[in-house]
Amino acid sequence: MTTSPDGGLESSIRADIADAQRSDRPVRRALRRARSWVSRHPRIEVFYRAGVGVVGTVLTLGGLLLVPLPGPGWLVVFVGLAVLGTEFAWAHRMASALKRVLDRFWSWVQTRRARRTAQRADVSA
């Protein structure tokens, strides 16, 4: 991953994320095969969904407890929602909505930072 002064790091990260989300990736194919096997066994599916629910809930709640502390609180919350989103549509929708909100917030922060930099440049010139 390379960085350029014109925001290349952000575009590089976005490209990496888009590349990782492609459905033809080997890990995604393996996970789809495993999930289809679980779907063919109803008893296992019940325990699988319960396990996903417990793990995702613990991660999400643990992340929320970490938010006021220094560290990766929000990251853990998103990982928990991603785990829950693999089995529950409501969690997938919530994670998508939070991503949109954070994307808008990040754009606002960047715009504000650029305006401040421009104002400082005008004052010093």
Side-chain angles (χ1 to χ4, degrees):
M1 198 175 323
T2 59
T3 315
S4 67
D6 62 347
L9 177 62
E10 184 177 347
S11 61
S12 175
I13 290 172
R14 286 184 189 273
D16 287 346
I17 289 171
D19 184 48
Q21 290 178 341
R22 287 192 351 242
S23 61
D24 64 336
R25 305 290 292 191
V27 172
R28 283 187 170 262
R29 283 195 310 263
L31 290 173
R32 266 196 313 273
R33 274 195 311 270
R35 184 61 184 100
S36 69
W37 181 85
V38 168
S39 294
R40 289 191 303 267
H41 299 85
R43 288 185 184 151
I44 294 174
E45 186 172 28
V46 168
F47 288 108
Y48 176 79
R49 286 180 62 95
V52 167
V54 168
V55 170
T57 301
V58 166
L59 284 171
T60 303
L61 294 177
L64 286 173
L65 291 174
L66 291 174
V67 166
L69 304 173
W74 283 112
L75 177 64
V76 177
V77 169
F78 279 113
V79 168
L81 285 174
V83 168
L84 287 169
T86 63
E87 286 300 310
F88 305 105
W90 62 266
H92 185 74
R93 286 190 307 268
M94 184 182 294
S96 297
L98 279 173
K99 284 182 205 175
R100 284 191 304 274
V101 167
L102 285 175
D103 196 35
R104 283 195 305 257
F105 174 74
W106 184 245
S107 296
W108 175 79
V109 166
Q110 288 178 320
T111 303
R112 186 170 180 215
R113 189 178 295 161
R115 259 191 260 133
R116 281 188 173 179
T117 303
Q119 286 175 350
R120 287 183 185 140
D122 289 343
V123 170
S124 64

